[in-house]
Amino acid sequence: MQAVVCHGPQDYRLEEVPVPAPPPGGALVRVEAVGICASDLKCYHGAAKFWGDDSRAAYTESPVIPGHEFAGRIIALDDAARERWGVDTGDRVVSEQIVPCWQCRYCARGQYWMCAPHELYGFKRRTPGAMASYMVFPPEALVHRVSDTLPPAHAAFVEPLSCALHAVERANIRFDDVVVVAGCGPIGLGMVAGAAAKFPAHVIALDVSDRKLELAAKCGADITLNISRDDPQHVVGQLTDGYGADVYLEGTGHPSAVPQGLNLLRKLGTFVEYSVFKEDVTVDWSIISDDKELDVLGAHLGPHCWPAAIRMVESGRLPMDEICTHQLPLADFQAGLDLVADGTESIKVSLIPE
């Protein structure tokens, strides 16, 4: 089969590799679509988070097939897998991006998304990803069925949407909150949709692209601000009698969005960080402590949010045709990476294996 194989930073190659064989209790899946995530791009460009530096160990093992947001159809599985997942051959499925060990401290406590071995599809050799014609779901995987009526790229969008919804859950949004979402890429648009579903007083979307802000409005933002022209500090101040926003969700991955959020929040506000940064971010921590006593929360993956994400995509309430802007053949993976890197023409770029 054809597969994109990561051999190291900026060394991704289209190769012919054997079709994998599923282990006992696992499944063989024909990949229908695989999205290119911003973290895929950062891995491609050699970010220390993925390849290590003096302060951290390498996370990515190479060679490995990338791709952790995907949808496909089950080609083969045994009775154990059929009973565990409640699926059968021919079903369209997605699998959560992490394959938990189910043995470590976190898994034992039900916190599987923080599993200590932390084997994500597409980064570890034991769990090759979906930039290929076929992939394997190990028996430890978490698997969900998705509607046959969705276009493949829409079905694959369940993964980033689940991540966005987890960030929204972490924020504990209340009905009278003013919520600010920074960034209107795939994660940010999902945050907007999830926050709007909580029905707060306002959902304010920030970006530098008018096109993305128009999409944010369609996803549920009632106020959109282009920070290259508009002053979010002034607008938020007017809405809140000068107090500041209640919740700030960071989904840009740009270092400047962090101090922006700390300054926009009121005292005792909530900051939720989701992005993966290419480089270290420095802020004045006294804003968090002495000035405002903020709750600063991280969010990772999409635990317990996949069923909701599936329902949201299947409901038709999101402008999925406008979110899933580009579907390219697997052989054009480099063009896909370049589109994501450019960021001006695309929202969600997906690869479609033959």
Side-chain angles (χ1 to χ4, degrees):
M1 67 175 185
Q2 280 194 327
V4 177
V5 181
C6 164
H7 291 272
Q10 299 191 58
D11 186 8
Y12 286 35
R13 311 171 200 169
L14 187 69
E15 299 180 357
E16 290 287 329
V17 302
V19 174
L28 178 66
V29 176
R30 177 171 56 82
V31 179
E32 292 186 323
V34 52
I36 300 177
C37 176
S39 62
D40 290 320
L41 185 69
K42 291 179 174 72
C43 182
Y44 174 77
H45 283 300
K49 173 180 174 62
F50 300 99
W51 297 103
D53 58 14
D54 292 340
S55 63
R56 70 186 91 185
Y59 179 74
T60 306
E61 297 174 349
S62 61
V64 67
I65 298 172
H68 61 274
E69 48 180 73
F70 50 80
R73 290 192 184 274
I74 294 180
I75 300 301
L77 78 171
D78 60 18
D79 288 339
R82 189 176 288 109
E83 181 177 352
R84 184 189 319 107
W85 295 326
V87 298
D88 210 337
T89 53
D91 286 346
R92 172 182 279 167
V93 289
V94 292
S95 179
E96 298 197 23
Q97 60 280 80
I98 191 166
V99 180
C101 72
W102 302 114
Q103 301 297 320
C104 71
R105 172 179 183 167
Y106 301 107
C107 287
R109 295 182 176 187
Q111 300 160 329
Y112 69 89
W113 65 100
M114 298 306 296
C115 173
H118 220 72
E119 294 187 335
L120 297 184
Y121 289 111
F123 295 101
K124 303 290 188 181
R125 292 193 196 99
R126 183 178 173 273
T127 49
M131 291 189 188
S133 303
Y134 297 90
M135 67 182 302
V136 161
F137 290 175
E140 299 86 358
L142 293 154
V143 178
H144 306 273
R145 187 186 289 122
V146 185
S147 171
D148 286 326
T149 63
L150 294 175
H154 296 191
F157 190 74
V158 167
E159 191 277 343
L161 183 56
S162 74
C163 295
L165 296 184
H166 177 49
V168 170
E169 289 279 76
R170 291 281 281 160
N172 193 27
I173 294 169
R174 299 171 182 270
F175 291 129
D176 60 350
D177 281 348
V178 171
V179 180
V180 177
V181 177
C184 296
I187 294 293
L189 292 173
M191 289 174 172
V192 166
K198 297 286 186 179
F199 212 71
H202 295 288
V203 178
I204 303 171
L206 309 181
D207 206 283
V208 295
S209 164
D210 289 333
R211 176 193 179 197
K212 291 179 180 178
L213 289 168
E214 290 172 5
L215 269 180
K218 293 180 180 181
C219 289
D222 59 293
I223 299 172
T224 60
L225 301 176
N226 187 317
I227 62 172
S228 67
R229 299 191 305 267
D230 305 317
D231 181 0
Q233 195 88 38
H234 175 72
V235 174
V236 170
Q238 282 193 318
L239 286 172
T240 62
D241 295 325
Y243 285 103
D246 301 282
V247 173
Y248 182 86
L249 300 168
E250 201 292 299
T252 70
H254 195 282
S256 65
V258 178
Q260 172 183 259
L262 298 179
N263 290 319
L264 283 175
L265 283 169
R266 63 167 171 83
K267 295 178 181 180
L268 302 175
T270 299
F271 186 117
V272 180
E273 179 57 63
Y274 194 89
S275 294
V276 175
F277 292 96
K278 184 179 179 181
E279 60 271 328
D280 293 340
V281 179
T282 302
V283 297
D284 179 0
W285 277 74
S286 61
I287 299 173
I288 298 167
S289 56
D290 192 52
D291 292 355
K292 294 187 176 181
E293 195 176 323
L294 300 176
D295 287 335
V296 179
L297 304 172
H300 178 58
L301 306 186
H304 308 300
C305 292
W306 284 71
I310 291 169
R311 291 196 302 272
M312 188 174 283
V313 173
E314 291 178 346
S315 73
R317 69 182 298 267
L318 299 180
M320 291 303 303
D321 285 332
E322 296 177 71
I323 293 172
C324 297
T325 53
H326 293 76
Q327 294 88 52
L328 306 175
L330 191 65
D332 292 345
F333 73 91
Q334 187 63 59
L337 287 165
D338 293 342
L339 276 168
V340 177
D342 176 78
T344 61
E345 296 183 32
S346 66
I347 306 294
K348 172 50 64 180
V349 178
S350 299
L351 302 176
I352 310 296
E354 295 295 333

